[in-house]
Amino acid sequence: MIVPLDLTDDETVKAVHRIAQLSYAVESELIGSTAIPGLHESVDDIRTLPLRWLGGYVDNDLVAFVGFTKVDGVLDIDRLCVAPSHFRLGFARRLVEQVLAEGGLAIVSTGAANAPAIALYEGLGFRLVDTVVVEGGLRIAQFGHPGLI
């Protein structure tokens, strides 16, 4: 079940933080870097992000989430995390599809060595726009959907 999340709720924001830490730890291993900003955020940091949030639940437990904004008609998927216990079950795909259903152009970035995320985004019609190196030497792949290429 995919529903909007209220990060002013303490239990919800703690669950988002827990899943982020688990998910980003796996991504960190995949890309060979701990320079992922979300890996170092506190519960309070997450709570103050100016994002809209959707969550995926199984048996009343949050197992995945997406945080995004829409500015000037462009959807910016800022973060997408799935609990490792629920990898490869379609949660990330359903969450991104829900965001894309709002219509308009969309952008997303991920570690350039994060093959599972890249496969997901390309499978949903995103196309590589650029690869940049950010603080800490982390290579980031930037994707657009549709028409931002």
Side-chain angles (χ1 to χ4, degrees), residues 64-138:
F65 67 83
V66 63
F68 66 100
T69 59
K70 190 170 189 177
V71 178
D72 297 329
V74 178
L75 292 160
D76 182 354
I77 299 172
D78 186 81
R79 55 199 62 221
L80 175 66
C81 293
V82 178
S85 60
H86 288 77
F87 280 1
R88 308 268 191 275
L89 297 177
F91 284 98
R93 175 174 291 279
R94 287 194 300 271
L95 286 165
V96 173
E97 287 172 342
Q98 185 91 15
V99 172
L100 293 175
E102 293 209 6
L105 305 175
I107 57 174
V108 67
S109 298
T110 190
N114 188 345
I118 290 169
L120 168 73
Y121 297 132
E122 288 179 339
L124 287 167
F126 285 85
R127 294 296 169 248
L128 182 65
V129 174
D130 199 6
T131 302
V132 297
V133 178
V134 296
E135 187 176 329
L138 180 60

Side-chain angles (χ1 to χ4, degrees), residues 33-52:
S33 174
T34 60
I36 302 167
L39 190 57
H40 308 286
E41 290 175 334
S42 69
V43 168
D44 288 335
D45 292 335
I46 292 171
R47 189 188 312 264
T48 61
L49 292 169
L51 301 174
R52 292 173 48 205

Side-chain angles (χ1 to χ4, degrees), residues 9-23:
D9 176 73
D10 287 340
E11 293 309 310
T12 302
V13 73
K14 287 177 187 175
V16 165
H17 182 261
R18 178 182 52 78
I19 291 166
Q21 295 303 297
L22 293 169
S23 182

